[in-house]
Amino acid sequence: MGTHLLARNLLSGQVSEVSALNLRVLEFCDDLRTLEEHADGVRNSLGPGAAALNIPRSLGKLLELGLLMEEACTRCELDGADDLGDAPTPIEWLTIPTRNRTDVLERGLYSYSQNFARFGRKPKILVSDDSDLHNIRQENVTALARLVKNTGLEIYYCDDACREELAAAISDHSGVPIEIVRRACCNSGHEADRYGANRNTLLLCTAGSLILSVDDDTVCRMAEPVNHSRLRADAVVLSGDIDVTSTALFPDQRELQVAISETQADILASHETLLGRPLVGYLGRLPPGTYIDTKDICSHLADALHQRQGRIGITFNGQWGTLGVNNLAQLMMTRPPSLHRPGAFVGNELQITPPGIRFSANPTICHGGFCMSTFIGIDNRSVLPPFPAKFRNEDGIFGTLLSVCSPHTFMVMCRFACYTILPVSVRFVRPFAFAFPT
């Protein structure tokens, strides 16, 4: 009698006794295929030794034990489901946190106004200004007034005084001590890294709406790489990875421009088709025949589909232009197929903010994680964790908190990347202990 092992179905919790052979067959069945396709794949993987095995019988046994999930389970029997949810909800607000960058703010907002005009969109704009000096805030107000006059945008403005009023009102209404509320959204006057407080103000002021939050150093120019590996043009990916993006770096802007293709697309619509939708609803409304890639799906995401739970609470775009890669650790952590191209180094020095593109080839549903984006769609109609009030990477920490505090809230990396440009370049000497591909 052959060796038998215990296998636990993470969805149902059922434990089954499985032969070593059947378990080996199961290891090759990590994506959606017909039983015949799985059998062919197992034979190809096992080689000549597979001829003596009854692989169809093994697959049948695994199916009987519930250790092979049928496509109907993964797609939650989406055809004819009665809980597909409503049609997409329009994004009501574009929110922008800003600080000490009037020219950058005006340039970015103008680019979004052009996209809105092209596609007949009229969202409200909320700018939360955390600039250090009064004269800079006045310059920002003047620039926003100019934009209202030239573009017809409906712009609302919030500064330190507004945040203080907001904090007092929240404290009076909720009974939460004013010190706690001020810590979350106000400028204490002595902290350099207070980006999260500015973002919390935007969340509080737009509660009950879908929003798209973009940084002030972004421009509404959408693009994707010209040559990259894509499953299929219409594919949707379900992934358990923390970071579902790939990053390509280039020696200069000219090489980056050659490697990407810019496109005219409604940036709000690219988020609205996803944001706030039930997971089942979004997948159920995909066109018939859409390929859903589950090769990297995790048990938590599969369980959410099986139990018909979960909503898409966050959407985000990739980035192209200057990615803000500003230390060696970030450079080393970029995922394949990162292109540390010839020319990125000059002698023994690396320009730490080389142009590049961080993207996902197909819309990808995931948990999100520590690395987020400067373009974030947020379903602000339910309780959300706050952004950490100080320090950088506040958006990444917010994504991690959301996945922990609201485990059935999922995130989607949209297909197109949007343009961002930072005002400075930093150079760093390469230590001999690190070896980078060229």
Side-chain angles (χ1 to χ4, degrees), residues 214-273:
V214 300
D215 285 9
D216 61 1
D217 57 2
T218 64
V219 176
C220 192
R221 292 169 57 186
M222 304 172 74
E224 63 180 338
V226 174
N227 297 313
H228 63 276
S229 174
R230 181 188 293 171
L231 297 168
R232 274 171 32 178
D234 66 342
V236 173
V237 178
L238 306 180
S239 176
D241 287 348
I242 293 176
D243 183 5
V244 297
T245 64
S246 297
T247 302
L249 303 176
F250 298 87
D252 52 49
Q253 190 73 16
R254 182 188 60 82
E255 286 206 24
L256 171 60
Q257 289 288 162
V258 171
I260 64 171
S261 173
E262 292 195 54
T263 185
Q264 297 291 347
D266 183 345
I267 188 170
L268 296 180
S270 70
H271 289 263
E272 287 167 347
T273 56

Side-chain angles (χ1 to χ4, degrees), residues 303-378:
D303 183 53
L305 290 174
H306 186 64
Q307 301 296 332
R308 311 175 82 80
Q309 296 178 331
R311 297 184 66 85
I312 299 172
I314 301 291
T315 52
F316 48 107
N317 293 101
Q319 299 167 248
W320 70 275
T322 305
L323 302 186
V325 178
N326 56 15
N327 59 54
L328 286 171
Q330 284 181 295
L331 185 67
M332 294 174 66
M333 290 169 61
T334 54
R335 293 165 54 88
S338 295
L339 304 178
H340 303 287
R341 301 283 294 278
F345 286 102
V346 178
N348 199 42
E349 292 186 341
L350 168 71
Q351 185 171 333
I352 288 297
T353 56
I357 181 167
R358 177 173 172 256
F359 69 100
S360 181
N362 294 90
T364 303
I365 301 172
C366 60
H367 290 287
F370 202 71
C371 196
M372 294 284 285
S373 172
T374 54
F375 310 83
I376 309 175
I378 302 175

Side-chain angles (χ1 to χ4, degrees), residues 183-218:
R183 177 66 177 174
C185 63
C186 294
N187 176 4
S188 66
H190 57 77
E191 293 169 348
D193 298 336
R194 50 183 184 261
Y195 308 96
N198 213 9
R199 295 188 188 276
N200 287 334
T201 300
L202 296 172
L203 286 182
L204 290 168
C205 290
T206 60
S209 304
L210 300 188
I211 69 173
L212 175 62
S213 185
V214 300
D215 285 9
D216 61 1
D217 57 2
T218 64

